[in-house]
Amino acid sequence: MGTFKLTTVEEFEAATNRLLETGKKVGADGWQYRVANQTPHCKFGEQGICCRICAMGPCRITPKAPRGICGCDAHGIVARNYLKFTAGGAATHSDHGREICHTLYCTSPDGNYKVKDPEKLIRIAKEWGVETEGKDIYDLAHEMAVLGMGEYGKVFGTQNFLKRAPQHTQEIWEREEIAPRAIDREVSCSLHMAHMGCSSEPKALIRQSLRAGLSDGWGGSMAGTEFSDVLFGTPKPIDTEANLGVMVAENVNIVVHGHDPSLSEMICEYADDPEMIAYAKEMGAKGITVSGVCCTSNEVAMRRGIPMAGNFLQQENVVLTGACEAIVVDVQCIFPALGPLSKCFHTKFITTSPIAQMPDSDFIRFSAENAGENAKLIVKTAIENFKNRKPELVYIPDMKQKATVGYSVEAIVKTLDGVTNSQVDVTGTTKPLIECITSGVIRGAVAMVGCNNPKVRPDTAHIELMKKLIANDIIIVASGCSAQAAARAGLMSKEAKDLCGAGLKRVCELADIPPVLHMGSCVDISRMMILVATLAKDSGLNISQLPVVGCAPEWMSEKAVSIGNYVVATGIDTFLGVDPYVSGSDQVAELLTSGIRDWVEASYTVEKDIEKLGDRMIERIEEKRAAIGI
Amino acid sequence: MTLFDVVFSGNDAAYGLAEGAIDAAIEKYGADKAVSFPDTAYSLPCYYAVTGTKVNTLGDLKNALGVVKTLMTREQRLNDAFMSGVATALCAEFLEVLKYVDNPTPYEAPCAGHLPDAAIRELGVPLVTGDIPGVAVILGAAPTAEEGVELVKSYQAQGILVTLVGGIIDQCVEMGYKTGANVRVIPLGKDVTAVVHAVSVAVRAALIFGNIQAGDAAGLMKYTMERVPAFVNAFAPLDPVIVAAGAGAIALGFPVITNEETFRVPKSLIVQKDISKFNATSLEARDIKIKVTKIDIPVAFASAFEGEIIRRG
Ligand code: SF4
Ligand code: SF4
């Protein structure tokens, strides 16, 4: 057998500790210290029974004070908080999707942004009933961009992309009145409902949470993904590397962090520009290395094979290497701590979006209209900063793993075509995967998503669960920081097949895939929705019947809650390793973990014991198999 | 029933038969009675390759059955199905070797039964060079004798080594189709357990040419998967024992193509209703590319005919 070995969490931690020593030297703190300062957390907040949505409060629920001043009980308060949490997440993804639509609107044949996948654009246009025949592709792009932005504020009707769901799912959404209307409307409706003196009925609030979530998954996120593919190309399998060791000491290191590929794509373009590379050499570097953190990293890894430096809780480590010339960010999941931290080093912390402005940063306002010149300016700024490095502070942990990424739905179908037999099979479907599942060779699939959260030993839950699942012949599709945890550990290397059960191993060998498939960023969880919808259609089963579950073991953001809601509302049982602040209401907890099953055929399972969380997923998958007799 | 349940039940049935037969033989001959296949240095080749242990007596055989039992785990996982498939093949080998107790020639023409080491050495070189581009194991009776013989003929014309088990043998006889080692169409036996003589060829190829150590089951399966271009054509109806044996074949890397409506597994268990497409389906499933250029002459042309004896008249 080869020399393949996973990188362990202990090794991750040893590297982090070494970096924190550098931090100490220069007086930097890290999230590790801030967590200690914040511990223990306020119990009222943790249970979701603190309300401060009006100025009569803040109110909190205790046995002695079972109601807030307005008379709202724990159930109403918890459910309102939950809905607001969801709305925050849905707003975030959706605004990202809107930005992408705007970028699409800015495309031109000789501009910064072009249409790289015209076929996909035409396909979506046809789905939306737009005439494509004889139309210039850029005219079509602009027309689709306007329609796409229209989805955010459409006056009548529901989201266009809902039609992609199987009939049965669409009927559930209609019946339960959770089919999302205009995206922005669902967000503001949520905020309206959660205002003082509006809804305090848990069922109504949770129902709206599902609808707001769906406006994200089948609206904003899906627009973000689909139009990003049109703009930057639909991902195909590509080799890359992951973990801090991808940074190169001799090069100018630019780290892209955040979410929107409109920025990171442009940075990558200019970092590849011979003129910029020559400039870097002039400044004493050997070249330019772009690497990524969080979702924007996933985006450029999927499309360009740009290496992934790390996930959410690694973002400070990138700076602590002392070798980061610039960390360029846009929106979402960016620690404001990066500002003060960068000041301890030569690193330039460059914020670019009016949405995410932070103290102690260099703000270079980036927009689709001025993308080229600003991306160039950012790259130049980074290059010119190379000389300010303090060599005595440079330490890049020598750790990285190979990863094969780029598994869009299109790429998965194409991969599956590779195991069909032209004498008996049709191509272009998910049927080979369904056959592997129905025969039992693969037991099922788990969508592993979500963040890091210091409440869970970082990355352990992701990695341990994945190891357990693949050993049980369960294939993983991953996105977001979960995907990066997998990549850093080595689970996206094709060699990781040796950690699988015999069934998944055989599939990995025949299809030439790693056992954990990287499907992209957080908005790309919409790809997973399209994949299950296709599996349901190709198998004739309902989505809720498929032996497929979702899991966010280390989630932390509002976006993750929004994601959870649309995954559940799509009919997929979802497993959480961190409690969503609902333990203060048995009614809300009951609704989320069982009651909503009557509405959408799926619900949540919350289990903080990660070992048990894995067991319960496997159990659920086996139950689903038994129910359909496979 | 799940696919794995079918495999498990077939395995249980084969195990039951083997156990009964071994007990009966011990009853009759005593545990010290010698058992062996003729003309092989590998004892019971399949059992030897998998476990590294040689079987010399009926008593050993009884112990071997105990070892086989340990492979028969019953989780709903492919590994368990694979191991049960291997266990089924081993039970078949036990049943077959019992036929040789006190009977050096349990098989009569046209059936060959166990093939001697010499035959494998002889086939090994053309297998390595690709002159024999594949090994077909045809199992059961085709819907009609014509279709069965057509299929055999199509493989033979491509230089593929064909082994026959079960009803297809009678179908060849019925159609007056010439078989034998010299034309590389080898009827093995009419019982389904005779399929193990084909497995034995692949396994000994791994030991002889692949330098696989006996007992290295994982290395064995890797070798057969990567290096022995065999595949199985199993005609409907498939009983659980055949399905279990099929799992063993798939474990070794050999795809099974059948005309029975059953579970499908890409590249491994393929349902092809049209017998005339068995050939193309099988070759594609096993990634076999035919080297021999097709020459447009009225008789089948391939290296399989090199050993043919032309009789007068
Ligand atoms: S809405 Fe009610 S519970 Fe909330 S802060 Fe105001 S009075 Fe208190
Ligand atoms: S997975 Fe969570 S932490 Fe990571 S980028 Fe997405 S929302 Fe942010």
Side-chain angles (χ1 to χ4, degrees):
Chain A
M1 213 124 291
T3 51
F4 175 71
K5 198 179 141 297
L6 288 183
T7 310
T8 63
V9 171
E10 286 71 22
E11 289 169 292
F12 289 176
E13 286 171 347
T16 299
N17 290 337
R18 170 69 181 74
L19 290 168
L20 287 174
E21 276 170 33
T22 317
K24 244 185 222 152
K25 264 188 237 161
V26 295
D29 76 348
W31 59 263
Q32 294 85 348
Y33 309 114
R34 299 191 297 274
V35 168
N37 291 342
Q38 289 292 343
T39 309
H41 293 286
C42 166
K43 285 274 165 287
F44 297 100
E46 269 187 341
Q47 295 172 49
I49 47 173
C50 157
C51 181
R52 41 169 297 279
I53 64 170
C54 89
M56 294 191 283
C59 298
R60 54 191 185 177
I61 301 301
T62 66
K64 262 201 230 143
R67 288 177 188 273
I69 292 169
C70 66
C72 191
D73 61 10
H75 311 301
I77 291 176
V78 166
R80 277 196 311 229
N81 286 340
Y82 184 83
L83 175 57
K84 289 182 80 144
F85 216 101
T86 307
T92 315
H93 279 148
S94 298
D95 227 26
H96 169 168
R98 183 191 342 254
E99 278 302 318
I100 295 290
C101 290
H102 175 245
T103 305
L104 184 65
Y105 188 74
C106 295
T107 52
S108 64
D110 44 13
N112 288 311
Y113 297 104
K114 302 191 177 58
V115 172
K116 279 208 187 149
D117 191 342
E119 270 164 41
K120 186 153 185 169
L121 179 64
I122 291 168
R123 182 151 57 81
I124 303 168
K126 285 189 174 147
E127 261 180 58
W128 286 13
V130 173
E131 182 57 65
T132 59
E133 218 48 57
K135 208 172 269 174
D136 176 79
I137 197 73
Y138 284 90
D139 288 342
L140 183 63
H142 302 150
E143 188 179 344
M144 288 299 288
V146 171
L147 280 175
M149 288 187 272
E151 287 294 282
Y152 288 81
K154 70 202 296 183
V155 187
F156 299 111
T158 52
Q159 288 297 297
N160 286 348
F161 282 131
L162 301 190
K163 299 259 175 331
R164 293 178 164 191
Q167 200 55 40
H168 177 76
T169 310
Q170 293 187 46
E171 281 161 15
I172 290 176
W173 292 340
E174 283 301 325
R175 185 189 72 211
E176 299 300 330
E177 291 186 44
I178 54 172
R181 301 157 295 181
I183 300 164
D184 290 348
R185 177 176 179 181
E186 299 305 355
V187 172
S188 58
C189 177
S190 301
L191 295 179
H192 184 177
M193 287 177 79
H195 189 275
M196 186 268 144
C198 284
S199 287
S200 50
E201 211 285 302
K203 282 196 177 126
L205 290 158
I206 297 304
R207 199 179 283 278
Q208 177 60 19
S209 303
L210 297 178
R211 178 147 66 173
L214 285 171
S215 78
D216 168 356
W218 292 82
S221 280
M222 205 170 276
T225 295
E226 294 295 274
F227 293 125
S228 289
D229 285 355
V230 169
L231 282 161
F232 309 117
T234 303
K236 301 192 220 11
I238 187 167
D239 292 334
T240 183
E241 291 177 330
N243 217 350
L244 284 173
V246 303
M247 294 174 72
V248 180
E250 301 77 36
N251 287 358
V252 171
N253 285 295
I254 303 177
V255 176
V256 290
H257 175 18
H259 283 76
D260 184 344
S262 302
L263 170 68
S264 50
E265 279 282 332
M266 273 298 134
I267 302 283
C268 292
E269 282 288 329
Y270 281 93
D272 256 358
D273 182 3
E275 187 196 327
M276 288 292 123
I277 294 170
Y279 191 45
K281 287 187 176 152
E282 227 174 274
M283 295 289 152
K286 282 210 173 127
I288 306 172
T289 298
V290 181
S291 59
V293 171
C294 278
C295 277
T296 210
S297 170
N298 291 321
E299 300 270 2
V300 284
M302 290 279 284
R303 297 201 181 85
R304 291 174 175 263
I306 296 291
M308 301 179 273
N311 48 0
F312 181 61
L313 286 180
Q314 285 252 87
Q315 57 182 290
E316 292 174 315
N317 286 357
V318 172
V319 178
L320 287 167
T321 61
C324 174
E325 273 56 58
I327 178 159
V328 189
V329 305
D330 48 40
V331 291
Q332 303 169 22
C333 303
I334 299 144
F335 273 168
L338 289 176
L341 178 65
S342 298
K343 289 271 169 289
C344 300
F345 292 85
H346 75 302
T347 306
K348 291 223 180 274
F349 176 43
I350 302 176
T351 49
T352 60
S353 168
I355 301 277
Q357 305 180 49
M358 297 191 190
D360 298 314
S361 71
D362 294 4
F363 185 57
I364 301 182
R365 187 170 179 152
F366 182 91
S367 70
E369 285 85 356
N370 67 14
E373 47 188 289
N374 275 350
K376 192 168 178 182
L377 174 63
I378 291 167
V379 172
K380 265 182 102 167
T381 307
I383 293 172
E384 285 159 5
N385 195 25
F386 184 75
K387 61 177 183 299
N388 298 326
R389 251 202 214 173
K390 302 186 185 90
E392 70 281 8
L393 293 182
V394 173
Y395 170 74
I396 300 175
D398 182 20
M399 296 200 299
K400 59 179 175 182
Q401 286 276 8
K402 287 201 184 82
T404 303
V405 303
Y407 291 96
S408 58
V409 175
E410 290 85 340
I412 289 175
V413 169
K414 191 131 193 284
T415 304
L416 291 172
D417 282 349
V419 295
T420 55
N421 191 300
S422 67
Q423 300 294 321
V424 284
D425 297 318
V426 289
T427 52
T429 75
T430 58
K431 287 204 169 113
L433 180 54
I434 293 165
E435 289 172 1
C436 289
I437 292 175
T438 45
S439 61
V441 169
I442 292 180
R443 307 306 296 170
V446 173
M448 293 282 293
V449 305
C451 329
N452 290 135
N453 187 326
K455 286 180 180 159
V456 178
R457 188 179 176 190
D459 298 325
T460 38
H462 291 302
I463 294 169
E464 292 309 318
L465 285 172
M466 288 186 200
K467 278 161 58 182
K468 182 181 188 122
L469 293 167
I470 64 175
N472 276 286
D473 289 336
I474 293 167
I475 192 166
I476 313 269
V477 290
S479 73
C481 290
S482 182
Q484 289 189 331
R488 288 168 56 219
L491 287 161
M492 285 179 176
S493 159
K494 287 179 185 169
E495 293 175 76
K497 72 174 166 41
D498 290 332
L499 304 172
C500 300
L504 183 54
K505 181 176 179 189
R506 187 59 76 93
V507 170
C508 288
E509 281 169 350
L510 291 178
D512 192 29
I513 53 170
V516 180
L517 299 178
H518 195 328
M519 289 192 78
S521 63
C522 291
V523 293
D524 291 343
I525 295 172
S526 60
R527 298 190 198 277
M528 299 178 181
M529 298 303 102
I530 297 169
L531 182 61
V532 285
T534 315
L535 284 168
K537 289 183 205 162
D538 286 349
S539 67
L541 294 165
N542 296 331
I543 290 178
S544 61
Q545 291 177 300
L546 297 169
V548 170
V549 303
C551 179
E554 304 182 21
W555 74 272
M556 66 87 202
S557 70
E558 292 174 317
K559 289 183 288 174
V561 172
S562 176
I563 291 166
N565 282 334
Y566 74 71
V567 173
V568 165
T570 300
I572 303 166
D573 286 316
T574 298
F575 291 73
L576 304 178
V578 176
D579 184 67
Y581 300 149
V582 297
S583 62
S585 160
D586 53 355
Q587 283 182 20
V588 174
E590 195 280 332
L591 259 182
L592 292 178
T593 55
S594 105
I596 53 174
R597 186 172 294 279
D598 294 340
W599 307 346
V600 293
E601 301 178 349
S603 69
Y604 286 101
T605 299
V606 182
E607 175 58 73
K608 288 187 228 165
D609 181 327
I610 295 304
E611 188 69 31
K612 281 195 198 138
L613 189 68
D615 292 339
R616 293 183 71 174
M617 282 194 273
I618 296 171
E619 252 167 55
R620 188 70 50 86
I621 283 173
E622 292 297 333
E623 274 166 25
K624 290 201 180 268
R625 297 186 62 89
I628 51 171
I630 55 170
Chain B
M1 260 219 280
T2 68
L3 176 58
F4 295 168
D5 285 336
V6 180
V7 171
F8 297 152
S9 76
N11 177 206
D12 287 340
Y15 182 85
L17 288 175
E19 191 177 38
I22 292 169
D23 287 346
I26 291 177
E27 182 100 338
K28 189 166 168 197
Y29 300 107
D32 293 334
K33 178 77 175 174
V35 279
S36 67
F37 286 116
D39 307 316
T40 179
Y42 301 95
S43 179
L44 273 58
C46 297
Y47 184 75
Y48 176 62
V50 170
T51 64
T53 310
K54 291 195 174 178
V55 168
N56 298 313
T57 64
L58 284 176
D60 293 346
L61 198 57
K62 180 79 186 173
N63 290 338
L65 197 65
V67 175
V68 166
K69 184 81 189 174
T70 65
L71 299 177
M72 295 163 59
T73 53
R74 291 291 175 261
E75 289 273 318
Q76 291 285 331
R77 294 287 185 275
L78 186 66
N79 186 54
D80 302 68
F82 272 179
M83 288 309 132
S84 291
V86 171
T88 305
L90 296 176
C91 289
E93 187 170 54
F94 298 169
L95 285 162
E96 284 294 310
V97 80
L98 288 175
K99 292 182 179 169
Y100 287 85
V101 176
D102 262 357
N103 182 0
T105 54
Y107 281 100
E108 284 168 18
C111 293
H114 168 83
L115 297 177
D117 287 353
I120 290 152
R121 287 184 198 281
E122 202 172 300
L123 292 169
V125 175
L127 257 172
V128 171
T129 58
D131 284 335
I132 296 180
V135 180
V137 181
I138 302 181
L139 189 61
T144 65
E146 285 81 2
E147 284 170 289
V149 166
E150 267 312 307
L151 181 66
V152 172
K153 204 193 239 176
S154 70
Y155 289 131
Q156 197 185 28
Q158 290 164 324
I160 288 172
L161 173 67
V162 188
T163 59
L164 309 176
V165 177
I168 181 73
I169 298 175
D170 288 336
Q171 288 181 324
C172 284
V173 172
E174 181 191 328
M175 298 289 292
Y177 195 73
K178 204 176 299 168
T179 61
N182 55 344
V183 291
R184 291 189 188 153
V185 177
I186 309 179
L188 295 172
K190 291 179 190 172
D191 296 340
V192 56
T193 49
V195 75
V196 79
H197 300 307
V199 180
S200 174
V201 173
V203 161
R204 276 180 283 167
L207 295 176
I208 298 171
F209 304 106
N211 225 355
I212 298 295
Q213 295 308 308
D216 175 11
L220 172 77
M221 291 195 214
K222 192 168 178 322
Y223 182 86
T224 53
M225 178 154 174
E226 286 168 7
R227 303 296 296 277
V228 182
F231 56 86
V232 179
N233 286 174
F235 290 118
L238 302 183
D239 69 26
V241 175
I242 300 175
V243 176
I250 295 170
L252 296 175
F254 309 152
V256 176
I257 290 81
T258 180
N259 58 336
E260 169 130 319
E261 189 48 58
T262 180
F263 291 93
R264 294 161 158 86
V265 181
K267 291 217 109 173
S268 301
L269 180 53
I270 297 171
V271 176
Q272 171 59 275
K273 293 292 176 61
D274 183 347
I275 309 297
S276 72
K277 291 186 179 156
F278 260 45
N279 182 310
T281 309
S282 302
L283 264 49
E284 185 177 327
R286 195 66 183 110
D287 295 317
I288 296 171
K289 309 263 179 317
I290 298 299
K291 262 211 306 204
V292 185
T293 41
K294 271 218 168 139
I295 299 175
D296 207 6
I297 51 172
V299 290
F301 169 87
S303 52
F305 294 100
E306 277 167 16
E308 190 175 8
I309 302 156
I310 311 278
R311 289 203 187 78
R312 238 178 273 229

